C-alpha cells in the first residue's frame, strides 16, 4: 500500500514563476504558473500550496527568510511530511542557508528554482519542482539539513553556491560536490552531511555588512562603516585570508568599537586560515581579533553572523559559532 506524503510547497517568486513577454524580457506574472500545479506525483503526494511571496530574489531579505522559517515550523504541527520552497536563484543559497541554521525540524526541506522562465524553450522550472518534491517526499531525505535540488543534483544548503549567471547547471558545491542525485525520479545519496545544531531566532537584526578585498584596498570602506549602526562585518579576504596592510588601522578602529569582524576567503575553493605571518597576513588578523570562518563563502558567512547576532551571541560563544561551518 502506497503511503501518500503531505508536502508543503511554499512559493516565493523568482524566475521559476516568471514568463518572457513579447520583447523577450523576463517579467513577473500576476499568477505563479508553478503554484497552479496540483497533480504532480498524483497518488503518492498530496501537495499543499502556500503562495507566500511573489518576489524576484534580489528583493528577498532576512525578514522574508524568517517568515518562511516560521511557516515551516508551523507546518510540522499540521502533519506535513516535507517542504519544497520555490525561490529565485540570485539569493537562493542565502535563504537556504538561513533556514539550515535556524530550523529545528528533521522533515526534509528542499529549495529549488529555475534558470529559464516558465514559457521559455527548455524551461527547467517544472522539472526542478517535480524533482524537489520527490526528494522532500522520500524518507531517506530526513536529517540531511536543508537541501537545494537543481538539475538532478542534491546539494547541501551549507556549501552550495550559484556559479553561472544563466546556465541551468549553475548550482555547484565547490570542493565537496553534491550529496546525491535524482535518478529515475528518486533521490540517491552517496555522501552524508555532518549536521549542525540549529539556532532558533524570533527576529533579525540589520546592518551586517559584506566587503570584498582587492589589490590596493584602503581604509575608505571600513571607515564608512565605523558608525553606531554597524552591527557586524564579513570580509572576503585575499587568498587564504589576508588583507592589504593599509586597511589594518581602520579594522582596529572597528574592533575597538566592538563591531565583530569575520574573515573568509574570496577564493572559490578552500577556506580562510591563519597561515601567513606578515603585516596583513592571517596570523596578524586573528591576533587582532578577526574571526576566521572556514568553509563558507562571503554571503553565507554574513547570513551566519546575522543569525548569531540576532540570537544574542557575543564573545567566545560568537567566536566559536563563527569559526567553522559546523556549529
Amino acid at each position: 500500500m502506497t503511503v501518500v506524503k503531505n508536502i508543503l510547497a511554499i512559493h516565493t517568486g523568482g524566475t521559476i514563476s516568471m514568463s518572457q513577454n513579447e520583447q523577450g524580457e523576463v517579467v513577473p506574472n500576476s499568477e505563479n504558473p508553478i503554484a497552479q500545479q496540483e497533480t504532480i506525483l498524483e497518488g503518492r503526494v498530496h501537495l499543499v500550496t502556500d503562495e507566500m511571496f511573489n518576489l524576484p530574489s534580489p528583493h528577498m531579505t532576512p525578514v522574508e527568510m524568517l517568515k518562511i522559517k516560521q511557516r515551516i515550523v508551523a507546518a510540522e504541527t499540521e502533519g506535513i511530511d516535507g517542504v519544497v520552497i520555490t525561490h529565485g536563484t540570485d539569493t537562493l543559497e542565502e535563504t537556504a542557508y538561513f533556514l539550515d541554521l535556524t530550523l529545528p525540524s528533521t522533515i526534509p526541506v528542499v529549495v529549488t528554482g529555475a534558470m529559464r522562465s516558465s514559457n521559455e524553450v527548455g524551461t527547467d522550472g517544472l522539472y526542478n519542482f517535480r524533482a524537489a518534491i520527490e526528494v522532500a517526499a522520500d524518507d531517506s531525505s530526513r536529517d540531511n539539513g536543508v537541501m537545494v535540488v537543481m538539475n538532478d543534483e542534491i546539494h547541501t544548503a551549507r556549501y552550495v553556491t550559484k556559479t553561472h549567471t544563466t546556465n541551468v547547471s549553475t548550482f555547484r558545491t565547490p570542493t565537496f560536490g553534491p550529496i546525491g542525485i535524482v535518478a529515475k525520479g528518486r533521490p540517491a545519496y552517496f555522501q552524508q552531511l555532518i549536521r549542525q545544531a540549529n539556532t532558533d531566532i524570533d527576529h533579525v537584526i540589520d546592518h551586517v555588512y559584506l566587503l570584498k578585498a582587492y589589490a590596493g584596498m584602503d581604509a575608505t570602506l571600513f571607515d564608512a562603516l565605523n558608525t553606531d549602526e554597524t552591527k557586524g562585518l564579513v570580509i572576503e579576504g585575499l587568498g587564504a585570508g589576508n588583507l592589504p596592510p593599509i586597511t589594518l588601522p581602520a579594522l582596529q578602529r572597528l574592533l575597538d568599537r566592538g563591531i565583530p569582524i569575520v574573515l573568509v576567503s574570496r577564493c572559490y575553493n578552500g577556506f580562510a586560515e591563519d597561515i601567513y605571518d606578515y603585516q596583513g597576513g592571517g596570523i596578524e588578523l586573528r591576533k587582532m581579533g578577526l574571526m576566521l570562518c572556514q568553509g563558507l563563502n562571503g554571503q553565507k558567512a554574513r547570513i551566519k553572523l546575522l543569525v548569531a547576532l540576532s540570537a544574542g551571541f557575543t564573545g567566545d560563544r560568537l567566536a566559536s559559532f563563527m569559526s567553522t561551518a559546523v556549529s
Side-chain angles (χ1 to χ4, degrees), residues 33-317:
I34 293 292
Q36 311 313 310
Q37 302 292 328
E38 297 180 353
T39 59
I40 291 180
L41 308 185
E42 192 171 8
R44 292 197 290 120
V45 167
H46 172 239
L47 205 58
V48 179
T49 299
D50 189 336
E51 296 186 62
M52 285 193 69
F53 310 114
N54 189 17
L55 296 173
S57 60
H59 297 191
M60 189 68 65
T61 76
V63 173
E64 285 78 31
M65 296 176 195
L66 182 61
K67 290 178 180 178
I68 297 169
K69 176 255 185 184
Q70 292 167 338
R71 178 66 184 94
I72 295 171
V73 170
E76 286 214 76
T77 68
E78 301 167 2
I80 293 297
D81 299 303
V83 179
V84 171
I85 303 150
T86 63
H87 197 289
T89 59
D90 286 354
T91 59
L92 184 152
E93 65 190 87
E94 287 159 271
T95 295
Y97 188 53
F98 179 96
L99 297 174
D100 194 53
L101 285 170
T102 59
L103 277 175
S105 60
T106 58
I107 63 172
V109 176
V110 180
V111 189
T112 192
M115 297 304 293
R116 296 172 183 158
S117 60
S118 62
N119 62 343
E120 285 186 66
V121 175
T123 180
D124 54 332
L126 183 57
Y127 185 90
N128 286 338
F129 185 45
R130 180 187 176 97
I133 293 171
E134 289 279 15
V135 173
D138 197 288
D139 289 339
S140 66
S141 299
R142 295 178 66 88
D143 300 312
N144 279 342
V146 175
M147 293 165 286
V148 172
V149 172
M150 298 276 290
N151 204 37
D152 278 336
E153 293 183 339
I154 307 169
H155 296 265
T156 67
R158 189 185 301 167
Y159 297 123
V160 73
T161 191
K162 187 175 182 180
T163 66
H164 194 285
T165 54
T166 57
N167 197 297
V168 294
S169 62
T170 180
F171 281 92
R172 300 289 190 200
T173 298
T175 305
F176 309 116
I179 61 169
I181 61 173
V182 181
K184 295 183 179 181
R186 298 296 179 91
Y189 294 98
F190 49 86
Q191 289 196 72
Q192 186 175 14
L193 180 70
I194 301 174
R195 190 68 175 104
Q196 65 197 46
N198 72 289
T199 303
D200 192 24
I201 57 173
D202 58 11
H203 70 285
V204 288
I205 66 169
D206 270 331
H207 308 297
V208 178
Y209 298 103
L210 170 63
L211 294 177
K212 187 169 189 171
Y214 53 85
M217 188 181 200
D218 61 16
T220 304
L221 296 176
F222 298 113
D223 282 334
L225 295 178
N226 192 0
T227 71
D228 290 336
E229 284 192 335
T230 299
K231 299 297 189 296
L233 172 63
V234 174
I235 306 169
E236 288 190 0
L238 306 171
N242 311 299
L243 291 171
I246 197 173
T247 65
L248 300 186
L251 287 174
Q252 189 61 59
R253 289 191 287 271
L254 292 174
L255 293 167
D256 290 343
R257 188 183 277 270
I259 296 170
I261 304 176
V262 175
L263 183 69
V264 299
S265 174
R266 71 176 191 177
C267 294
Y268 179 73
N269 276 298
F271 45 80
E273 299 179 86
D274 50 348
I275 295 175
Y276 290 98
D277 191 11
Y278 52 69
Q279 191 178 15
I283 291 175
E284 181 178 12
L285 296 175
R286 182 183 284 280
K287 288 178 179 177
M288 287 177 64
L290 273 70
M291 295 171 279
L292 275 64
C293 181
Q294 296 183 345
L296 298 180
N297 58 25
Q299 55 267 34
K300 297 264 186 73
R302 177 187 169 271
I303 289 292
K304 189 168 191 181
L305 180 59
L306 184 149
V307 166
L309 295 175
S310 298
F313 291 3
T314 59
D316 290 343
R317 189 177 186 188

Side-chain angles (χ1 to χ4, degrees), residues 14-32:
T15 299
I16 194 170
S17 69
M18 298 182 186
S19 298
Q20 279 188 338
N21 62 20
E22 293 179 355
Q23 289 75 43
E25 302 160 337
V26 178
V27 295
N29 290 307
S30 58
E31 292 188 359
N32 184 340

